[in-house]
Amino acid sequence: MPSVLITGASRGLGLEWARQYAGAGWRVFASARHPLESRELQALAAAHDNLTTHRLDVTRDDEIRALAWDLAEEPLDLLVNNAGAYFEKYVPDGLGRIRYDHWEETFRVNTLGPVRVTEAFVEHLARGDGRLVAAVTSHMGSIHDITAPGDYAYRSSKAALNAAMKGLAHELEPRGIGVLLLHPGWVRTRMGGPDGRLDCETSVRAMRERVASYTPAWNARFLRYDGTEIPW
């Protein structure tokens, strides 16, 4: 049975990743900051004996180490770094209004978090068959595509995530571990808002196709959910 660890699995895309992989018969380790407070995640766990829930705040080294220890004997085929923060969605920024505390927290979640989790689970991935890290990033991390002001924290955190993951790909490649950078599209989630063009099911199904069709030629490529490449 293939296995996957998903961060930020209490709602939105993370919950849908968990739902689809559990339904496909994978062993799913669904992690979130407060998994017991997500009724949808708990219902999913009750319906699938191949899914377990785990507490994990990706900004907390102690929680990351604890989960890596708890799963020490488990090989991982796939790590989905999905957890993210986007404060400007609720508190717009701009010169004179930049919240540097929000910016720092955004980096802790969106950039440092995925690197920390990847680092902690390298040995688990090395023992798996799939050996793939999928980082849910954003087209807003494309410097080439910046055409308007604002969203400084979110944009820069995703650009930094992309750079970090591309560097990690070179370090992980000798161990046979690949990296995918996936933009999920504009999805109707709490973060994406009600006007998104995609629902979670469609976005995750397409990203799962990218995972399933991964080859080393796509290592550290920056892709939309539909497989088209995004300029850096």
Side-chain angles (χ1 to χ4, degrees), residues 73-91:
E73 302 304 316
E74 301 285 352
L76 280 180
D77 293 288
L78 173 64
L79 167 61
V80 178
N81 282 308
N82 168 77
Y86 185 8
F87 291 108
E88 297 101 317
K89 190 74 179 178
Y90 313 103
V91 184

Side-chain angles (χ1 to χ4, degrees), residues 87-88 91-104 106 149-154 156:
F87 291 108
E88 297 101 317
V91 184
D93 64 1
L95 294 179
R97 301 191 308 275
I98 294 173
R99 289 286 302 272
Y100 290 97
D101 56 338
H102 285 180
W103 201 332
E104 290 169 357
T106 301
D151 297 308
Y152 299 119
Y154 187 75
S156 61

Side-chain angles (χ1 to χ4, degrees), residues 51-72:
L51 184 150
T52 53
T53 66
H54 306 269
R55 180 180 176 86
L56 181 65
D57 182 333
V58 301
T59 69
R60 295 278 302 269
D61 283 332
D62 58 337
E63 292 190 9
I64 295 171
R65 289 195 302 269
L67 183 56
W69 176 262
D70 289 344
L71 303 182

Side-chain angles (χ1 to χ4, degrees), residues 36-59:
L36 297 179
E37 296 179 11
S38 171
R39 287 182 291 180
E40 290 180 286
L41 181 57
Q42 292 306 311
L44 192 62
H48 295 277
D49 58 10
N50 56 325
L51 184 150
T52 53
T53 66
H54 306 269
R55 180 180 176 86
L56 181 65
D57 182 333
V58 301
T59 69

